[in-house]
Amino acid sequence: MAMAVAHCCFSVLSSTVKFRYSVSYHRRLATSTSTSQASLDALSPKATNDKKRALKTSSSTSPRKFNAEKDPVSQKNLPRRSKDEKSSLYADGISGRGDMGRPQSTGFKSFSTQRKDKKEFQLDSREQQVEPGNLQDATFLNAVVKVYCTHTAPDYSLPWQKQRQFTSTGSAFMIGDGKLLTNAHCVEHDTQVKVKRRGDDTKYVAKVLARGVDCDIALLSVESKEFWRGAEPLRLGHLPGLQDAVTVVGYPLGGDTISVTKGVVSRIEVTSYAHGSSDLLGIQIDAAINPGNSGGPAFNEQGECIGVAFQVYRSEEAENIGYVIPTTVVSHFLSDYERNGKYTGFPCLGVLLQKLENPALRACLQVQSNEGVLVRRVEPTSDANNVLKEGDVIVSFDDVHVGSEGTVPFRSNERIAFRYLISQKFAGDVAELGIVRAGRFMKVQVVLNPRVHLVPYHIDGGQPSYLIIAGLVFTPLSEPLIEEECEDSIGLKLLAKARYSLARFKGEQIVILSQILANEVNIGYEDMGNQQVLKFNGIRIKNIHHLAHLVACCKDKYLVFEFEDNYLAVLEREAAMAASSRILKDYGIPSEKSDDLLEPYVDSVRDNQAIEQDYGDSPVSNLEIGFEGLLWA
């Protein structure tokens, strides 16, 4: 079976990790770490699931938690999120973990210590590695710095503690005003970030000002005046053309000094970003991008920065496929930060779409011309839910006509995915849509906001929420938790909800009983784990903060927890409260709840009728978030 692998390129100091999946596509990012996710297949759930697995980071970091006892073959049929037809991985140097902060799951295999893999790396790096030559004295090379990051990721299975720290290296570059740009996955879960200039032997402490997970960009600052002495920031250039020459500069594995590789622009299109959960404009190049290159700039022939190296595609059937974040995405990130004082994210329209290539389908929907995309479903949490209806046909976006393939005009004689227009907007912006409803054309306005994920790809604030009641450990379901627990231990039913369900209101979570801390008060429940809790004392649970509030306010004799498939766990309230402190002491746990649950609970959901529905009605998967037949916008 042909295997495709994409990497993120940043380097990890002690080891690198290579993931092996039972799929046909893999994608890696370009840092010296070692995994990520990626891709989508718009035709079948399995194909889509396989694609997201293909994302990897190939960084230089230190070892992470890994469960080698699981059977990788048993996971191949489990549903999994995906986003694009390609696979990709990071280009930094973090060793031992995949996805810069996500422990490896069952199907992953470490390759950081295998000589065989090192040889493969040497071959890849020699393919297009070039001597700097006349670039040796180019001033723009001095604006590229090496990033040293110490990461301490949360332990999602034991959410009250952190995992063992690890280190990685990547690249960054100066943009002026005392700031640097790098990849978000280079500094994910950072506890210390240091940078070193070319030709200098001093490392300077850097601070992370903003981190854009969806666009894989981070903004750093360095306070030391000595660091900036004689520094000349890079100029951001325009979007390049096809076949334009490109030079990638950074600090990849294979040496300590700056590295320069050359190539050309191969393709520009909407690309799946392996680190985040979005599809944004990307530049495909054939210049070599290796672990440690993540966060480094790509230059045009005029010495202008045309983007940030961040991931590569590896396959037995393809060569020299690297990806660069274009300056249009970089400028959007910086403008967002300047506008709001923080990064708010790329917006979405919040609709599930279908192409209208079939003439009979267009005729049935009373669409007269060969254009438009069908609205199959509207996200309940989006503003579009108040404006659009299922069965509407979107034929224009801000007066730009949308083709029946879900594409719009792009530059001269090119077309690009409809989502590109949405990505040019900012959170809170208004878009004017031309729609056909029941054969009648009309224009409507929709407010665009970032997508609300029922099961998040990344945890805001870094540390997951948790609640311990008489040894019962509750936590929200998240993608990092699924990765850490391994899919086979999560179970197909819970995975299906994670993959196919949409949030019905802002703040909704899937709360699970992750494990039982054995004690005489919870005897008989020890084997329970990774099960969704639906109700507490007959009240449907909205999120973990709601559950903590219900337990704190309970005056009943019993605490009754209702789970999927009519499982029950009942505790005598006074006995449970009395045992809680002993259990925490026995297991060395500092608190019965995470800090965020200490805040007063505010019920933002007034419509309880909506949450009485079962999860999974009209299920939707991220395979439908592509633009191959079915797509999200």
PDB file of all heavy atoms in Angstrom, residues 173 180-185 187 208 210-219 273 275 280 308 310 325-334 343 346:
ATOM      1  N   PHE A 173      12.082  34.505  12.516  1.00  0.00           N
ATOM      2  CA  PHE A 173      12.714  35.640  11.830  1.00  0.00           C
ATOM      3  C   PHE A 173      12.139  36.958  12.340  1.00  0.00           C
ATOM      4  O   PHE A 173      11.019  37.018  12.859  1.00  0.00           O
ATOM      5  CB  PHE A 173      12.554  35.525  10.307  1.00  0.00           C
ATOM      6  CG  PHE A 173      11.135  35.470   9.824  1.00  0.00           C
ATOM      7  CD1 PHE A 173      10.468  36.616   9.425  1.00  0.00           C
ATOM      8  CD2 PHE A 173      10.465  34.252   9.727  1.00  0.00           C
ATOM      9  CE1 PHE A 173       9.169  36.567   8.957  1.00  0.00           C
ATOM     10  CE2 PHE A 173       9.164  34.180   9.257  1.00  0.00           C
ATOM     11  CZ  PHE A 173       8.515  35.350   8.876  1.00  0.00           C
ATOM     12  N   LEU A 180       9.330  38.788  16.630  1.00  0.00           N
ATOM     13  CA  LEU A 180       9.734  37.681  15.777  1.00  0.00           C
ATOM     14  C   LEU A 180       8.508  36.878  15.387  1.00  0.00           C
ATOM     15  O   LEU A 180       7.521  36.827  16.124  1.00  0.00           O
ATOM     16  CB  LEU A 180      10.715  36.746  16.505  1.00  0.00           C
ATOM     17  CG  LEU A 180      12.021  37.324  17.047  1.00  0.00           C
ATOM     18  CD1 LEU A 180      12.645  36.345  18.037  1.00  0.00           C
ATOM     19  CD2 LEU A 180      12.992  37.577  15.902  1.00  0.00           C
ATOM     20  N   LEU A 181       8.585  36.205  14.241  1.00  0.00           N
ATOM     21  CA  LEU A 181       7.537  35.273  13.824  1.00  0.00           C
ATOM     22  C   LEU A 181       8.102  33.865  13.765  1.00  0.00           C
ATOM     23  O   LEU A 181       9.230  33.648  13.334  1.00  0.00           O
ATOM     24  CB  LEU A 181       6.991  35.637  12.445  1.00  0.00           C
ATOM     25  CG  LEU A 181       5.832  36.630  12.346  1.00  0.00           C
ATOM     26  CD1 LEU A 181       5.383  36.754  10.898  1.00  0.00           C
ATOM     27  CD2 LEU A 181       4.656  36.223  13.213  1.00  0.00           C
ATOM     28  N   THR A 182       7.302  32.897  14.186  1.00  0.00           N
ATOM     29  CA  THR A 182       7.662  31.489  14.071  1.00  0.00           C
ATOM     30  C   THR A 182       6.373  30.690  13.917  1.00  0.00           C
ATOM     31  O   THR A 182       5.288  31.257  13.767  1.00  0.00           O
ATOM     32  CB  THR A 182       8.471  31.014  15.289  1.00  0.00           C
ATOM     33  OG1 THR A 182       8.946  29.678  15.076  1.00  0.00           O
ATOM     34  CG2 THR A 182       7.630  31.036  16.567  1.00  0.00           C
ATOM     35  N   ASN A 183       6.467  29.366  13.959  1.00  0.00           N
ATOM     36  CA  ASN A 183       5.263  28.524  13.904  1.00  0.00           C
ATOM     37  C   ASN A 183       4.695  28.312  15.298  1.00  0.00           C
ATOM     38  O   ASN A 183       5.444  28.212  16.271  1.00  0.00           O
ATOM     39  CB  ASN A 183       5.576  27.169  13.289  1.00  0.00           C
ATOM     40  CG  ASN A 183       5.727  27.213  11.780  1.00  0.00           C
ATOM     41  OD1 ASN A 183       6.562  26.534  11.217  1.00  0.00           O
ATOM     42  ND2 ASN A 183       4.916  28.015  11.092  1.00  0.00           N
ATOM     43  N   ALA A 184       3.380  28.196  15.381  1.00  0.00           N
ATOM     44  CA  ALA A 184       2.734  27.949  16.674  1.00  0.00           C
ATOM     45  C   ALA A 184       3.165  26.618  17.258  1.00  0.00           C
ATOM     46  O   ALA A 184       3.335  26.485  18.471  1.00  0.00           O
ATOM     47  CB  ALA A 184       1.214  28.007  16.521  1.00  0.00           C
ATOM     48  N   HIS A 185       3.361  25.606  16.394  1.00  0.00           N
ATOM     49  CA  HIS A 185       3.724  24.300  16.939  1.00  0.00           C
ATOM     50  C   HIS A 185       5.162  24.285  17.476  1.00  0.00           C
ATOM     51  O   HIS A 185       5.527  23.384  18.211  1.00  0.00           O
ATOM     52  CB  HIS A 185       3.507  23.200  15.895  1.00  0.00           C
ATOM     53  CG  HIS A 185       4.428  23.240  14.730  1.00  0.00           C
ATOM     54  ND1 HIS A 185       4.100  23.806  13.528  1.00  0.00           N
ATOM     55  CD2 HIS A 185       5.679  22.760  14.557  1.00  0.00           C
ATOM     56  CE1 HIS A 185       5.092  23.683  12.670  1.00  0.00           C
ATOM     57  NE2 HIS A 185       6.074  23.048  13.282  1.00  0.00           N
ATOM     58  N   VAL A 187       6.293  26.475  19.562  1.00  0.00           N
ATOM     59  CA  VAL A 187       6.263  26.972  20.939  1.00  0.00           C
ATOM     60  C   VAL A 187       5.002  26.524  21.665  1.00  0.00           C
ATOM     61  O   VAL A 187       4.564  27.162  22.631  1.00  0.00           O
ATOM     62  CB  VAL A 187       6.373  28.516  20.967  1.00  0.00           C
ATOM     63  CG1 VAL A 187       7.747  28.954  20.496  1.00  0.00           C
ATOM     64  CG2 VAL A 187       5.287  29.179  20.105  1.00  0.00           C
ATOM     65  N   VAL A 208       6.176  34.634  24.308  1.00  0.00           N
ATOM     66  CA  VAL A 208       5.133  34.387  23.312  1.00  0.00           C
ATOM     67  C   VAL A 208       4.005  35.394  23.528  1.00  0.00           C
ATOM     68  O   VAL A 208       3.318  35.369  24.550  1.00  0.00           O
ATOM     69  CB  VAL A 208       4.586  32.946  23.408  1.00  0.00           C
ATOM     70  CG1 VAL A 208       3.496  32.730  22.366  1.00  0.00           C
ATOM     71  CG2 VAL A 208       5.707  31.932  23.221  1.00  0.00           C
ATOM     72  N   ALA A 210       1.445  36.016  21.085  1.00  0.00           N
ATOM     73  CA  ALA A 210       0.197  35.500  20.508  1.00  0.00           C
ATOM     74  C   ALA A 210       0.500  34.195  19.795  1.00  0.00           C
ATOM     75  O   ALA A 210       1.586  34.006  19.247  1.00  0.00           O
ATOM     76  CB  ALA A 210      -0.414  36.508  19.540  1.00  0.00           C
ATOM     77  N   ARG A 211      -0.481  33.309  19.819  1.00  0.00           N
ATOM     78  CA  ARG A 211      -0.320  31.995  19.194  1.00  0.00           C
ATOM     79  C   ARG A 211      -1.583  31.683  18.402  1.00  0.00           C
ATOM     80  O   ARG A 211      -2.673  31.582  18.969  1.00  0.00           O
ATOM     81  CB  ARG A 211      -0.085  30.939  20.276  1.00  0.00           C
ATOM     82  CG  ARG A 211       0.243  29.563  19.747  1.00  0.00           C
ATOM     83  CD  ARG A 211       0.345  28.546  20.882  1.00  0.00           C
ATOM     84  NE  ARG A 211       1.518  28.720  21.700  1.00  0.00           N
ATOM     85  CZ  ARG A 211       1.528  29.208  22.939  1.00  0.00           C
ATOM     86  NH1 ARG A 211       0.391  29.596  23.493  1.00  0.00           N
ATOM     87  NH2 ARG A 211       2.637  29.330  23.621  1.00  0.00           N
ATOM     88  N   GLY A 212      -1.434  31.546  17.085  1.00  0.00           N
ATOM     89  CA  GLY A 212      -2.566  31.202  16.230  1.00  0.00           C
ATOM     90  C   GLY A 212      -2.517  29.733  15.869  1.00  0.00           C
ATOM     91  O   GLY A 212      -1.775  29.353  14.962  1.00  0.00           O
ATOM     92  N   VAL A 213      -3.286  28.930  16.567  1.00  0.00           N
ATOM     93  CA  VAL A 213      -3.235  27.487  16.340  1.00  0.00           C
ATOM     94  C   VAL A 213      -3.752  27.140  14.954  1.00  0.00           C
ATOM     95  O   VAL A 213      -3.167  26.312  14.242  1.00  0.00           O
ATOM     96  CB  VAL A 213      -4.048  26.746  17.420  1.00  0.00           C
ATOM     97  CG1 VAL A 213      -4.166  25.270  17.083  1.00  0.00           C
ATOM     98  CG2 VAL A 213      -3.395  26.921  18.779  1.00  0.00           C
ATOM     99  N   ASP A 214      -4.841  27.789  14.523  1.00  0.00           N
ATOM    100  CA  ASP A 214      -5.438  27.424  13.239  1.00  0.00           C
ATOM    101  C   ASP A 214      -4.542  27.773  12.059  1.00  0.00           C
ATOM    102  O   ASP A 214      -4.496  27.044  11.064  1.00  0.00           O
ATOM    103  CB  ASP A 214      -6.813  28.070  13.083  1.00  0.00           C
ATOM    104  CG  ASP A 214      -6.799  29.574  13.296  1.00  0.00           C
ATOM    105  OD1 ASP A 214      -5.732  30.117  13.643  1.00  0.00           O
ATOM    106  OD2 ASP A 214      -7.861  30.215  13.118  1.00  0.00           O
ATOM    107  N   CYS A 215      -3.777  28.861  12.161  1.00  0.00           N
ATOM    108  CA  CYS A 215      -2.884  29.249  11.062  1.00  0.00           C
ATOM    109  C   CYS A 215      -1.442  28.878  11.342  1.00  0.00           C
ATOM    110  O   CYS A 215      -0.554  29.149  10.518  1.00  0.00           O
ATOM    111  CB  CYS A 215      -3.000  30.740  10.782  1.00  0.00           C
ATOM    112  SG  CYS A 215      -2.559  31.806  12.178  1.00  0.00           S
ATOM    113  N   ASP A 216      -1.162  28.255  12.479  1.00  0.00           N
ATOM    114  CA  ASP A 216       0.174  27.775  12.844  1.00  0.00           C
ATOM    115  C   ASP A 216       1.220  28.891  12.814  1.00  0.00           C
ATOM    116  O   ASP A 216       2.321  28.724  12.296  1.00  0.00           O
ATOM    117  CB  ASP A 216       0.608  26.624  11.929  1.00  0.00           C
ATOM    118  CG  ASP A 216       1.717  25.774  12.556  1.00  0.00           C
ATOM    119  OD1 ASP A 216       2.073  26.024  13.716  1.00  0.00           O
ATOM    120  OD2 ASP A 216       2.230  24.865  11.877  1.00  0.00           O
ATOM    121  N   ILE A 217       0.870  30.040  13.397  1.00  0.00           N
ATOM    122  CA  ILE A 217       1.798  31.166  13.497  1.00  0.00           C
ATOM    123  C   ILE A 217       1.845  31.630  14.946  1.00  0.00           C
ATOM    124  O   ILE A 217       0.820  31.652  15.636  1.00  0.00           O
ATOM    125  CB  ILE A 217       1.370  32.339  12.601  1.00  0.00           C
ATOM    126  CG1 ILE A 217       1.276  31.893  11.139  1.00  0.00           C
ATOM    127  CG2 ILE A 217       2.347  33.506  12.715  1.00  0.00           C
ATOM    128  CD1 ILE A 217       0.727  32.963  10.219  1.00  0.00           C
ATOM    129  N   ALA A 218       3.040  31.997  15.416  1.00  0.00           N
ATOM    130  CA  ALA A 218       3.193  32.559  16.759  1.00  0.00           C
ATOM    131  C   ALA A 218       4.022  33.830  16.670  1.00  0.00           C
ATOM    132  O   ALA A 218       4.937  33.940  15.843  1.00  0.00           O
ATOM    133  CB  ALA A 218       3.852  31.555  17.694  1.00  0.00           C
ATOM    134  N   LEU A 219       3.692  34.783  17.517  1.00  0.00           N
ATOM    135  CA  LEU A 219       4.403  36.065  17.587  1.00  0.00           C
ATOM    136  C   LEU A 219       5.214  36.103  18.871  1.00  0.00           C
ATOM    137  O   LEU A 219       4.666  35.899  19.962  1.00  0.00           O
ATOM    138  CB  LEU A 219       3.396  37.217  17.548  1.00  0.00           C
ATOM    139  CG  LEU A 219       3.959  38.640  17.493  1.00  0.00           C
ATOM    140  CD1 LEU A 219       4.717  38.864  16.184  1.00  0.00           C
ATOM    141  CD2 LEU A 219       2.833  39.664  17.647  1.00  0.00           C
ATOM    142  N   TYR A 273      -3.965  22.691   7.031  1.00  0.00           N
ATOM    143  CA  TYR A 273      -2.889  23.000   7.961  1.00  0.00           C
ATOM    144  C   TYR A 273      -2.836  21.902   9.026  1.00  0.00           C
ATOM    145  O   TYR A 273      -3.780  21.706   9.785  1.00  0.00           O
ATOM    146  CB  TYR A 273      -3.113  24.360   8.619  1.00  0.00           C
ATOM    147  CG  TYR A 273      -2.675  25.532   7.762  1.00  0.00           C
ATOM    148  CD1 TYR A 273      -2.958  25.572   6.391  1.00  0.00           C
ATOM    149  CD2 TYR A 273      -1.988  26.609   8.299  1.00  0.00           C
ATOM    150  CE1 TYR A 273      -2.565  26.632   5.604  1.00  0.00           C
ATOM    151  CE2 TYR A 273      -1.584  27.685   7.527  1.00  0.00           C
ATOM    152  CZ  TYR A 273      -1.880  27.697   6.176  1.00  0.00           C
ATOM    153  OH  TYR A 273      -1.483  28.752   5.387  1.00  0.00           O
ATOM    154  N   HIS A 275      -1.246  21.441  11.844  1.00  0.00           N
ATOM    155  CA  HIS A 275      -1.273  21.733  13.277  1.00  0.00           C
ATOM    156  C   HIS A 275      -2.642  22.198  13.744  1.00  0.00           C
ATOM    157  O   HIS A 275      -3.063  21.893  14.850  1.00  0.00           O
ATOM    158  CB  HIS A 275      -0.231  22.798  13.607  1.00  0.00           C
ATOM    159  CG  HIS A 275      -0.179  23.169  15.055  1.00  0.00           C
ATOM    160  ND1 HIS A 275       0.211  22.283  16.030  1.00  0.00           N
ATOM    161  CD2 HIS A 275      -0.476  24.323  15.700  1.00  0.00           C
ATOM    162  CE1 HIS A 275       0.159  22.881  17.214  1.00  0.00           C
ATOM    163  NE2 HIS A 275      -0.257  24.115  17.033  1.00  0.00           N
ATOM    164  N   LEU A 280      -6.488  26.860   4.931  1.00  0.00           N
ATOM    165  CA  LEU A 280      -6.153  28.217   4.537  1.00  0.00           C
ATOM    166  C   LEU A 280      -5.262  28.190   3.302  1.00  0.00           C
ATOM    167  O   LEU A 280      -4.784  27.135   2.889  1.00  0.00           O
ATOM    168  CB  LEU A 280      -5.439  28.946   5.690  1.00  0.00           C
ATOM    169  CG  LEU A 280      -6.201  29.034   7.011  1.00  0.00           C
ATOM    170  CD1 LEU A 280      -5.305  29.575   8.117  1.00  0.00           C
ATOM    171  CD2 LEU A 280      -7.438  29.921   6.860  1.00  0.00           C
ATOM    172  N   VAL A 308       6.197  31.532   5.486  1.00  0.00           N
ATOM    173  CA  VAL A 308       6.830  30.829   6.597  1.00  0.00           C
ATOM    174  C   VAL A 308       6.773  29.326   6.333  1.00  0.00           C
ATOM    175  O   VAL A 308       5.691  28.759   6.144  1.00  0.00           O
ATOM    176  CB  VAL A 308       6.104  31.134   7.939  1.00  0.00           C
ATOM    177  CG1 VAL A 308       6.850  30.516   9.106  1.00  0.00           C
ATOM    178  CG2 VAL A 308       5.950  32.636   8.130  1.00  0.00           C
ATOM    179  N   PHE A 310       6.474  25.515   7.053  1.00  0.00           N
ATOM    180  CA  PHE A 310       5.808  24.894   8.198  1.00  0.00           C
ATOM    181  C   PHE A 310       5.500  23.417   8.054  1.00  0.00           C
ATOM    182  O   PHE A 310       5.347  22.713   9.045  1.00  0.00           O
ATOM    183  CB  PHE A 310       4.521  25.652   8.545  1.00  0.00           C
ATOM    184  CG  PHE A 310       3.346  25.411   7.638  1.00  0.00           C
ATOM    185  CD1 PHE A 310       2.175  24.860   8.148  1.00  0.00           C
ATOM    186  CD2 PHE A 310       3.380  25.749   6.301  1.00  0.00           C
ATOM    187  CE1 PHE A 310       1.074  24.651   7.333  1.00  0.00           C
ATOM    188  CE2 PHE A 310       2.279  25.552   5.477  1.00  0.00           C
ATOM    189  CZ  PHE A 310       1.123  24.999   5.992  1.00  0.00           C
ATOM    190  N   ILE A 325       3.461  29.020   4.599  1.00  0.00           N
ATOM    191  CA  ILE A 325       2.326  29.886   4.940  1.00  0.00           C
ATOM    192  C   ILE A 325       2.532  31.214   4.230  1.00  0.00           C
ATOM    193  O   ILE A 325       3.531  31.897   4.475  1.00  0.00           O
ATOM    194  CB  ILE A 325       2.226  30.115   6.457  1.00  0.00           C
ATOM    195  CG1 ILE A 325       2.102  28.788   7.205  1.00  0.00           C
ATOM    196  CG2 ILE A 325       1.053  31.028   6.794  1.00  0.00           C
ATOM    197  CD1 ILE A 325       2.241  28.922   8.712  1.00  0.00           C
ATOM    198  N   PRO A 326       1.649  31.632   3.323  1.00  0.00           N
ATOM    199  CA  PRO A 326       1.872  32.868   2.561  1.00  0.00           C
ATOM    200  C   PRO A 326       1.739  34.121   3.412  1.00  0.00           C
ATOM    201  O   PRO A 326       1.142  34.098   4.499  1.00  0.00           O
ATOM    202  CB  PRO A 326       0.783  32.810   1.480  1.00  0.00           C
ATOM    203  CG  PRO A 326      -0.297  31.985   2.080  1.00  0.00           C
ATOM    204  CD  PRO A 326       0.387  30.970   2.953  1.00  0.00           C
ATOM    205  N   THR A 327       2.261  35.223   2.905  1.00  0.00           N
ATOM    206  CA  THR A 327       2.228  36.482   3.657  1.00  0.00           C
ATOM    207  C   THR A 327       0.805  37.006   3.814  1.00  0.00           C
ATOM    208  O   THR A 327       0.547  37.803   4.717  1.00  0.00           O
ATOM    209  CB  THR A 327       3.092  37.537   2.960  1.00  0.00           C
ATOM    210  OG1 THR A 327       2.728  37.613   1.575  1.00  0.00           O
ATOM    211  CG2 THR A 327       4.566  37.176   3.064  1.00  0.00           C
ATOM    212  N   THR A 328      -0.127  36.576   2.963  1.00  0.00           N
ATOM    213  CA  THR A 328      -1.513  36.998   3.145  1.00  0.00           C
ATOM    214  C   THR A 328      -2.074  36.457   4.463  1.00  0.00           C
ATOM    215  O   THR A 328      -2.799  37.160   5.180  1.00  0.00           O
ATOM    216  CB  THR A 328      -2.389  36.514   1.982  1.00  0.00           C
ATOM    217  OG1 THR A 328      -2.192  35.100   1.795  1.00  0.00           O
ATOM    218  CG2 THR A 328      -2.028  37.225   0.691  1.00  0.00           C
ATOM    219  N   VAL A 329      -1.737  35.211   4.787  1.00  0.00           N
ATOM    220  CA  VAL A 329      -2.170  34.617   6.052  1.00  0.00           C
ATOM    221  C   VAL A 329      -1.418  35.256   7.214  1.00  0.00           C
ATOM    222  O   VAL A 329      -1.988  35.548   8.273  1.00  0.00           O
ATOM    223  CB  VAL A 329      -1.957  33.090   6.044  1.00  0.00           C
ATOM    224  CG1 VAL A 329      -2.301  32.479   7.399  1.00  0.00           C
ATOM    225  CG2 VAL A 329      -2.805  32.442   4.950  1.00  0.00           C
ATOM    226  N   VAL A 330      -0.109  35.504   7.028  1.00  0.00           N
ATOM    227  CA  VAL A 330       0.706  36.145   8.063  1.00  0.00           C
ATOM    228  C   VAL A 330       0.164  37.539   8.371  1.00  0.00           C
ATOM    229  O   VAL A 330       0.011  37.925   9.538  1.00  0.00           O
ATOM    230  CB  VAL A 330       2.180  36.233   7.618  1.00  0.00           C
ATOM    231  CG1 VAL A 330       2.987  37.069   8.608  1.00  0.00           C
ATOM    232  CG2 VAL A 330       2.790  34.845   7.491  1.00  0.00           C
ATOM    233  N   SER A 331      -0.151  38.310   7.327  1.00  0.00           N
ATOM    234  CA  SER A 331      -0.674  39.664   7.527  1.00  0.00           C
ATOM    235  C   SER A 331      -2.024  39.643   8.231  1.00  0.00           C
ATOM    236  O   SER A 331      -2.315  40.505   9.064  1.00  0.00           O
ATOM    237  CB  SER A 331      -0.809  40.375   6.172  1.00  0.00           C
ATOM    238  OG  SER A 331       0.456  40.513   5.554  1.00  0.00           O
ATOM    239  N   HIS A 332      -2.856  38.657   7.903  1.00  0.00           N
ATOM    240  CA  HIS A 332      -4.152  38.514   8.579  1.00  0.00           C
ATOM    241  C   HIS A 332      -3.941  38.263  10.068  1.00  0.00           C
ATOM    242  O   HIS A 332      -4.612  38.865  10.924  1.00  0.00           O
ATOM    243  CB  HIS A 332      -4.922  37.354   7.955  1.00  0.00           C
ATOM    244  CG  HIS A 332      -6.348  37.233   8.418  1.00  0.00           C
ATOM    245  ND1 HIS A 332      -6.681  36.783   9.688  1.00  0.00           N
ATOM    246  CD2 HIS A 332      -7.531  37.494   7.779  1.00  0.00           C
ATOM    247  CE1 HIS A 332      -7.995  36.765   9.815  1.00  0.00           C
ATOM    248  NE2 HIS A 332      -8.533  37.199   8.680  1.00  0.00           N
ATOM    249  N   PHE A 333      -3.000  37.391  10.403  1.00  0.00           N
ATOM    250  CA  PHE A 333      -2.673  37.098  11.806  1.00  0.00           C
ATOM    251  C   PHE A 333      -2.206  38.354  12.533  1.00  0.00           C
ATOM    252  O   PHE A 333      -2.673  38.663  13.641  1.00  0.00           O
ATOM    253  CB  PHE A 333      -1.598  36.015  11.847  1.00  0.00           C
ATOM    254  CG  PHE A 333      -0.977  35.794  13.202  1.00  0.00           C
ATOM    255  CD1 PHE A 333      -1.579  34.969  14.134  1.00  0.00           C
ATOM    256  CD2 PHE A 333       0.219  36.411  13.545  1.00  0.00           C
ATOM    257  CE1 PHE A 333      -1.011  34.759  15.383  1.00  0.00           C
ATOM    258  CE2 PHE A 333       0.800  36.210  14.790  1.00  0.00           C
ATOM    259  CZ  PHE A 333       0.188  35.393  15.710  1.00  0.00           C
ATOM    260  N   LEU A 334      -1.285  39.105  11.920  1.00  0.00           N
ATOM    261  CA  LEU A 334      -0.742  40.307  12.562  1.00  0.00           C
ATOM    262  C   LEU A 334      -1.811  41.391  12.697  1.00  0.00           C
ATOM    263  O   LEU A 334      -1.886  42.075  13.731  1.00  0.00           O
ATOM    264  CB  LEU A 334       0.442  40.830  11.756  1.00  0.00           C
ATOM    265  CG  LEU A 334       1.683  39.926  11.718  1.00  0.00           C
ATOM    266  CD1 LEU A 334       2.742  40.498  10.781  1.00  0.00           C
ATOM    267  CD2 LEU A 334       2.267  39.737  13.118  1.00  0.00           C
ATOM    268  N   TYR A 343      -5.018  37.346  19.546  1.00  0.00           N
ATOM    269  CA  TYR A 343      -5.418  36.656  18.321  1.00  0.00           C
ATOM    270  C   TYR A 343      -6.782  36.027  18.522  1.00  0.00           C
ATOM    271  O   TYR A 343      -7.008  35.291  19.488  1.00  0.00           O
ATOM    272  CB  TYR A 343      -4.382  35.581  17.960  1.00  0.00           C
ATOM    273  CG  TYR A 343      -4.756  34.788  16.732  1.00  0.00           C
ATOM    274  CD1 TYR A 343      -4.721  35.371  15.472  1.00  0.00           C
ATOM    275  CD2 TYR A 343      -5.170  33.465  16.833  1.00  0.00           C
ATOM    276  CE1 TYR A 343      -5.082  34.655  14.338  1.00  0.00           C
ATOM    277  CE2 TYR A 343      -5.523  32.740  15.706  1.00  0.00           C
ATOM    278  CZ  TYR A 343      -5.475  33.344  14.460  1.00  0.00           C
ATOM    279  OH  TYR A 343      -5.838  32.639  13.346  1.00  0.00           O
ATOM    280  N   PHE A 346      -9.380  32.813  12.541  1.00  0.00           N
ATOM    281  CA  PHE A 346     -10.020  32.971  11.238  1.00  0.00           C
ATOM    282  C   PHE A 346     -11.498  32.612  11.350  1.00  0.00           C
ATOM    283  O   PHE A 346     -11.855  31.630  12.009  1.00  0.00           O
ATOM    284  CB  PHE A 346      -9.339  32.080  10.200  1.00  0.00           C
ATOM    285  CG  PHE A 346      -8.042  32.630   9.683  1.00  0.00           C
ATOM    286  CD1 PHE A 346      -6.885  32.536  10.427  1.00  0.00           C
ATOM    287  CD2 PHE A 346      -7.990  33.261   8.447  1.00  0.00           C
ATOM    288  CE1 PHE A 346      -5.686  33.040   9.957  1.00  0.00           C
ATOM    289  CE2 PHE A 346      -6.796  33.775   7.963  1.00  0.00           C
ATOM    290  CZ  PHE A 346      -5.641  33.668   8.723  1.00  0.00           C
TER     291      PHE A 346
END
